[in-house]
Amino acid sequence: MYNFKEIEKKWQDFWDKDETYKVEEDDSKEKFYTLVEFPYPSGAGLHVGHVKGQTAVDVFARFKRLKGYNVLNSMGWDAFGLPAENFAIKNKKHPGIFTQENINNFRRQIKSFGPSFDWSREIDTTDPNYYKWTQWIFLQLFEMGLAYEKEAPINWCPSCKTGLANEEVVDGKCERCDSLVEQKNMKQWFLKITDYAEELITDLNDLNWPEYIKTSQKNWIGKSEGAEIDFSVKDSDIKIRVFTTRIDTIFGCTYVVIAPESKILLQLEYKIENKDELNEYLEKIKNKSDLERTDLNKDKSGVKIEGVKAINPFNNEEVDIFIADYVLASYGTGAVMAVPAHDERDFEFAKKYDLEIKTVITKEKDIDNSISCYTEDGHLLNSLEFTGMNSSQARSRMIEFGEGKGFVQRKINYKLRDWLFSRQRYWGEPIPIIKCSSCGNVPLEKSDLPLVLPEVENYEPSGNGESPLANINSWVNVKCPKCGGDAKRETNTMPQWAGSSWYFLRYIDPKNQEELASAENLKKFMPVDIYFGGAEHTTVHLLYSRFWNKALCNKGIVPVSEPYKRRVQHGLILAEDGRKMSKRWGNVINPDDVISEYGADVMRLYIMFMGPYGDTSAWATSGINGISRFVNKVWNLTEKEITEDESDKETLNILHKTIKKVGEDIENISFHTAISQLMILLNHLSVKEKINKELVNIFAKLLSPFTPHLSEELFSLMGGIGSIFKSSWPEYSEDLIKDEKVKIAVQINGKLRDTLEVDFDSEESFVVELAKNSELVKRWIEGKDIIKIIFIKNKLLSIVIKQ
Ligand code: ANZ
Ligand code: ZN
């Protein structure tokens, strides 16, 4: 039996002492930067989902190391965040203490399955030596005009008198007291990610990312090309500007809708005849979220503004104006031309309020086959000189026409909003800004960083929508660095996304006190060559960190504009019962238990074997037992007679095919098929009595990315010196993987009767058997005595029969 407990411990200790996975100083080797999303060290400990990503990155890193690269592969902790803060509130204990306990547990758990991280580069986002640079980057963004303050609504619980994070709002209610949460306007920090919207889309083209991730990012950014059209308000100089992607439907516009929060209302005010009714409506919809407002399935409501009319500039028709909450103030111009015949939301609204529906687009040219609401492109009807054109033609003609008259402008809008960057929370990076009543927002000097989080006694939010930091007068009240007058520190902290937006830069030079990382090292290691992570980060984290990297690149700090060359995402591991693992179901698989029962190598190999890496798969005890048997069978190879004799041709053929396939499969993140091939090879070897020593070595290497402990032991048993990971990946020979076929002439009494195609070097007995079964041969030899058989390997089989 393979004693995994002893052997795994032995090699883990060896790697620690040997610093086997430390990035080498050697510049002759090409670098390879592998990265996996660093975990949030929760109180629950490591999850098998973490193990999946961390094992995958480890397989890849070990493979590249054996291929001769200088690999950078490290680990760290994304450790700011709400759970630690809630723990602090409950236990009156500093969240930092809880966080460190969790980190220690995570580190122990990760180390216990033996991944090849360079632990000398470990980082922790809550370490002042780390967040010093998070704050410094914020100041760069501030200097570049990419960080600004603006009034924006936050979730506000009127009974707790506190701002709430989104996670604390459940079904629109405060998680703690069940009161309805309101939106309260407060000054907040934003990062101008929208400045990079276009670049964030176009630069996706050059990345080796799965198409579906690129598509999600594009959809998230939501580029939309259209036009803005000015509608005049009758008997006034006021214009209502609308944004539309469907200018081709303009002749079907039967009313205009403006968002309830729109500033245009103020301009119109003196004409409005039903102010009370409007105010009542505004009060009613105050607390709806954008999602509820724009949801197609939700009831549309609105109020007609009495006393005003808008004029469609294309046909001078007068139309009514409504306010309705299905139009958002924050998108486009905050106003739309409503075309109920061709837009779902307008259609529902029009039906509810009995408004005119005018068909102007049809599927077939010149035929009014109007369906209730036809939203596709088609051909124009009832549209004056544009009638008969198809939609896309009409769009460009109409825009040109309107541009000429001055009431239309081409416009591109993005769904992407600027990144709300402040939290009314304690456990985050303090924003390094001082607010002075005469100088405004004054950035701290670099020499004043890190701005360390002060200790507080009470972690509860302050009660007026500010962070608990606002209660520490001695910290808050400072002198303005510019004018020396009385000033206050910014008391909001950064969101959890901050620390993870640049951590891949810090691994490159984690101890640097002068810079976030030296230019030389950044040049050497960026970009990340492959980034493993979870599907939940397709948009937010990947987008935010691409944005930071681009901004830093524009500042000349980072040498490449895209941080991640290749991206790979894993599928979920479900529990054995097919459900998601959850404390509630009691079906969570703890890696600690798996390792103590089966060993780290079996766990690693099993998780990599469960199915295609990107697929969801369920844990199966029978599956892991099978892998455990496989590992023991590998171990049993060492009990055979180990020889220096050459392996037979067939064995070499399978071996070299395996070298080729395992290498290619790892490169393509097809771990399960690589492992299947290793199983085929093992089955072939298991029946042999003797086994070639070098072959065992090669087998150990092929298996080593998956089962590093077992492979080290095999390598050392075969006389290898030091770590197997300092050796090199085996090469395959094209010649040996060829399944050569040869043609053999079959003669009977000197006459050619058949030719047989067989494997190169086929044995006599095999070829004779084959010949005897051939119809062409059978009819000559059946019932006859064979006198003699002459066999020339790969060439000839001559049979002499008695006439
Ligand atoms: C008239 C029209 C007719 C429209 C039609 C669509 C179909 P995307 O692709 O999402 O950009 N819209 C514009 N601003 C809006 C706002 N602030 N709140 C809610 N809806 C808004 O969609 C653009 C379309 O969404 C615009 O084109 C506008 O409706 C609506 F047959 O204009 B459309
Ligand atoms: Zn000042």
Side-chain angles (χ1 to χ4, degrees):
M1 262 312 256
Y2 172 55
N3 186 341
F4 64 80
K5 284 220 160 87
E6 209 173 275
I7 290 170
E8 289 181 352
K9 167 101 183 36
K10 168 181 159 187
W11 288 104
Q12 286 174 12
D13 290 348
F14 175 89
W15 297 330
D16 267 347
K17 244 193 251 122
D18 181 56
E19 299 185 322
T20 313
Y21 308 118
K22 220 172 152 163
V23 175
E24 295 170 52
E25 296 301 325
D26 186 355
D27 277 330
S28 66
K29 282 190 179 178
E30 209 180 316
K31 70 92 185 184
F32 199 91
Y33 188 178
T34 57
L35 183 71
V36 64
E37 282 161 6
F38 62 162
Y40 170 73
S42 74
L46 199 71
H47 187 272
V48 288
H50 292 122
V51 179
K52 186 169 180 183
Q54 290 160 5
T55 303
V57 80
D58 188 46
V59 168
F60 213 85
R62 288 179 185 279
F63 173 65
K64 287 291 171 181
R65 192 168 273 123
L66 284 162
K67 286 283 231 180
Y69 289 91
N70 186 12
V71 175
L72 167 52
N73 187 39
S74 194
M75 192 23 71
W77 319 108
D78 186 14
F80 274 127
L82 209 56
E85 183 161 343
N86 286 341
F87 181 87
I89 291 170
K90 226 167 140 193
N91 299 286
K92 304 246 171 279
K93 200 168 160 185
H94 194 281
I97 298 172
F98 177 65
T99 300
Q100 284 314 310
E101 287 167 4
N102 291 344
I103 287 178
N104 290 336
N105 187 43
F106 262 67
R107 190 190 302 103
R108 173 193 65 75
Q109 289 192 291
I110 293 176
K111 282 192 157 190
S112 75
F113 68 89
S116 60
F117 293 124
D118 178 351
W119 288 100
S120 72
R121 290 171 186 256
E122 179 182 339
I123 55 183
D124 167 1
T125 57
T126 67
D127 176 350
N129 284 318
Y130 181 89
Y131 69 67
K132 169 180 178 176
W133 300 106
T134 314
Q135 292 171 329
W136 182 81
I137 294 170
F138 178 87
L139 294 179
Q140 304 309 303
L141 298 174
F142 181 74
E143 209 174 89
M144 294 167 84
L146 293 172
Y148 66 94
E149 260 191 315
K150 191 179 83 179
E151 285 253 325
I154 62 162
N155 300 310
W156 178 256
C157 172
S159 89
C160 299
K161 294 205 183 332
T162 172
L164 301 175
N166 284 335
E167 298 88 330
E168 292 172 305
V169 182
V170 179
D171 294 332
K173 291 179 186 159
C174 172
E175 188 188 49
R176 302 180 208 179
C177 73
D178 250 9
S179 321
L180 267 182
V181 171
E182 292 177 359
Q183 302 287 308
K184 178 173 163 146
N185 269 327
M186 289 190 51
K187 261 210 163 160
Q188 311 254 14
W189 285 95
F190 286 86
L191 299 187
K192 228 172 177 179
I193 190 172
T194 49
D195 270 13
Y196 286 79
E198 191 59 42
E199 239 184 280
L200 286 167
I201 293 175
T202 37
D203 289 355
L204 285 171
N205 291 335
D206 305 328
L207 300 178
N208 177 8
W209 288 22
E211 251 348 278
Y212 75 92
I213 304 181
K214 292 188 184 181
T215 308
S216 317
Q217 288 220 344
K218 281 184 201 158
N219 291 342
W220 186 264
I221 297 168
K223 181 176 180 174
S224 148
E225 297 189 67
E228 289 183 354
I229 307 171
D230 288 328
F231 281 61
S232 317
V233 173
K234 192 183 171 196
D235 300 330
S236 80
D237 297 332
I238 304 167
K239 298 225 185 306
I240 298 177
R241 178 167 286 195
V242 304
F243 171 68
T244 181
T245 48
R246 291 297 306 274
I247 194 172
D248 54 309
T249 66
I250 182 107
F251 288 91
C253 168
T254 54
Y255 57 98
V256 162
V257 188
I258 58 186
E261 307 85 349
S262 170
K263 298 249 158 33
I264 296 170
L265 274 182
L266 296 176
Q267 290 182 48
L268 293 177
E269 202 176 3
Y270 72 99
K271 289 175 150 281
I272 299 176
E273 289 165 3
N274 56 340
K275 278 183 204 151
D276 289 347
E277 197 187 355
L278 294 186
N279 283 332
E280 211 174 287
Y281 178 72
L282 292 178
E283 192 56 31
K284 207 175 79 191
I285 57 148
K286 196 167 73 180
N287 292 319
K288 283 205 209 167
S289 71
D290 283 4
L291 203 67
E292 275 177 277
R293 288 173 48 164
T294 49
D295 191 333
L296 266 180
N297 302 315
K298 292 275 160 63
D299 195 31
K300 306 274 164 301
S301 72
V303 181
K304 182 166 151 190
I305 307 177
E306 304 289 354
V308 288
K309 292 264 186 199
I311 299 170
N312 181 340
F314 275 81
N315 57 8
N316 294 322
E317 253 178 56
E318 287 177 17
V319 296
D320 288 334
I321 306 173
F322 284 78
I323 57 170
D325 66 352
Y326 76 93
V327 173
L328 302 176
S330 56
Y331 186 65
T333 59
V336 307
M337 62 179 222
V339 185
H342 305 293
D343 179 276
E344 300 278 2
R345 288 167 299 180
D346 298 340
F347 181 73
E348 274 177 47
F349 190 82
K351 275 204 314 202
K352 180 164 171 186
Y353 293 98
D354 205 14
L355 307 170
E356 192 190 352
I357 299 174
K358 222 167 112 185
T359 300
V360 290
I361 306 284
T362 63
K363 200 167 174 180
E364 284 161 82
K365 205 173 168 182
D366 302 328
I367 300 172
D368 185 354
N369 51 1
S370 46
I371 334 166
S372 55
C373 176
Y374 179 70
T375 60
E376 319 259 300
D377 276 5
H379 295 271
L380 274 70
L381 279 181
N382 307 321
S383 302
L384 298 181
E385 70 259 44
F386 304 98
T387 301
M389 290 181 187
N390 68 38
S391 287
S392 79
Q393 205 181 2
R395 280 194 287 270
S396 45
R397 293 291 172 77
M398 285 171 156
I399 289 177
E400 273 165 30
F401 173 83
E403 275 178 336
K405 305 251 173 193
F407 53 72
V408 172
Q409 285 183 327
R410 260 167 233 282
K411 177 77 186 175
I412 295 175
N413 275 322
Y414 299 90
K415 289 276 148 41
L416 187 67
R417 297 282 79 118
D418 278 342
W419 173 6
L420 174 60
F421 198 69
S422 38
R423 298 290 181 275
Q424 297 70 48
R425 286 283 158 192
Y426 173 74
W427 192 230
E429 301 87 346
I431 293 176
I433 293 282
I434 288 171
K435 321 196 92 165
C436 168
S437 53
S438 37
C439 311
N441 285 326
V442 183
L444 290 191
E445 292 296 324
K446 184 178 173 188
S447 55
D448 292 329
L449 300 181
L451 171 59
V452 177
L453 256 180
E455 303 269 338
V456 298
E457 265 151 43
N458 189 354
Y459 300 96
E460 299 276 354
S462 69
N464 48 12
E466 292 175 323
S467 108
L469 293 175
N471 294 331
I472 316 172
N473 289 329
S474 60
W475 186 78
V476 172
N477 295 316
V478 287
K479 296 289 174 210
C480 168
K482 256 197 195 158
C483 71
D486 285 344
K488 284 182 186 302
R489 285 192 197 281
E490 168 65 62
T491 58
N492 284 337
T493 54
M494 299 186 197
Q496 213 197 334
W497 305 109
S500 59
S501 290
W502 72 280
Y503 74 112
F504 49 92
L505 300 174
R506 191 61 176 171
Y507 281 144
I508 288 174
D509 201 358
K511 307 241 156 61
N512 196 324
Q513 297 285 326
E514 312 305 320
E515 298 165 278
L516 68 86
S518 76
E520 187 194 348
N521 282 321
L522 287 171
K523 189 149 188 283
K524 181 165 161 193
F525 285 104
M526 283 301 283
V528 171
D529 293 286
I530 190 166
Y531 189 16
F532 290 84
E536 66 277 24
H537 292 131
T538 301
T539 45
V540 182
H541 160 64
L542 284 181
L543 215 55
Y544 287 169
S545 53
R546 288 180 65 216
F547 160 52
W548 276 36
N549 191 84
K550 283 184 181 304
L552 290 171
C553 179
N554 278 350
K555 259 237 137 174
I557 295 158
V558 176
V560 293
S561 75
E562 279 294 333
Y564 319 121
K565 212 159 146 185
R566 186 174 176 194
R567 168 78 179 177
V568 176
Q569 290 184 174
H570 60 251
L572 279 183
I573 298 182
L574 301 176
E576 188 132 26
D577 58 13
R579 289 191 287 196
K580 242 178 129 152
M581 287 188 201
S582 148
K583 254 198 201 146
R584 186 155 42 123
W585 309 124
N587 59 4
V588 177
I589 295 201
N590 182 341
D592 284 347
D593 300 339
V594 180
I595 292 172
S596 78
E597 189 175 349
Y598 295 95
D601 283 339
V602 170
M603 175 178 76
R604 298 167 53 107
L605 192 59
Y606 172 60
I607 290 178
M608 294 296 96
F609 186 60
M610 287 177 85
Y613 186 67
D615 284 10
T616 296
S617 25
W619 192 268
T621 302
S622 61
I624 195 166
N625 284 334
I627 290 291
S628 181
R629 282 193 299 274
F630 170 79
V631 164
N632 275 294
K633 227 161 125 186
V634 173
W635 180 247
N636 291 342
L637 291 179
T638 62
E639 280 152 23
K640 295 183 185 296
E641 186 186 332
I642 308 289
T643 77
E644 305 274 346
D645 301 348
E646 265 226 37
S647 309
D648 59 82
K649 212 138 190 206
E650 194 192 356
T651 302
L652 287 177
N653 176 266
I654 297 181
L655 176 71
H656 284 256
K657 278 183 187 159
T658 307
I659 297 173
K660 179 166 194 271
K661 182 156 173 62
V662 171
E664 288 172 356
D665 285 356
I666 291 179
E667 194 65 63
N668 296 325
I669 317 296
S670 183
F671 303 129
H672 64 306
T673 54
I675 297 167
S676 296
Q677 180 65 31
L678 288 162
M679 291 172 169
I680 292 173
L681 176 59
L682 181 68
N683 281 341
H684 178 80
L685 298 177
S686 290
V687 296
K688 309 259 171 199
E689 269 159 29
K690 297 184 191 174
I691 191 162
N692 172 278
K693 187 168 156 186
E694 185 46 27
L695 194 150
V696 177
N697 249 331
I698 294 177
F699 190 78
K701 284 182 193 177
L702 296 178
L703 204 54
S704 69
F706 303 100
T707 60
H709 311 83
L710 171 68
S711 292
E712 287 279 25
E713 189 67 16
L714 288 173
F715 181 71
S716 110
L717 281 176
M718 295 302 117
I721 294 178
S723 170
I724 192 172
F725 298 102
K726 297 275 162 86
S727 70
S728 58
W729 189 254
E731 307 225 351
Y732 62 88
S733 133
E734 283 292 351
D735 281 348
L736 287 171
I737 57 177
K738 257 190 221 149
D739 285 318
E740 262 183 279
K741 297 277 184 194
V742 287
K743 289 204 166 103
I744 294 191
V746 183
Q747 295 180 350
I748 294 165
N749 287 357
K751 289 214 170 82
L752 180 70
R753 296 299 180 193
D754 196 4
T755 35
L756 299 173
E757 199 180 72
V758 298
D759 285 351
F760 183 78
D761 268 1
S762 291
E763 298 295 328
E764 175 173 344
S765 55
F766 174 80
V767 179
V768 170
E769 222 25 62
L770 202 66
K772 283 182 176 170
N773 282 312
S774 144
E775 291 302 326
L776 292 175
V777 176
K778 247 190 206 167
R779 75 164 94 123
W780 295 102
I781 63 172
E782 227 157 23
K784 306 273 164 69
D785 283 345
I786 293 174
I787 303 170
K788 200 163 136 192
I789 288 177
I790 301 158
F791 178 69
I792 305 172
K793 233 184 190 176
N794 302 324
K795 285 212 170 88
L796 176 81
L797 174 67
S798 173
I799 301 173
V800 182
I801 53 170
K802 205 169 168 186
Q803 296 286 6

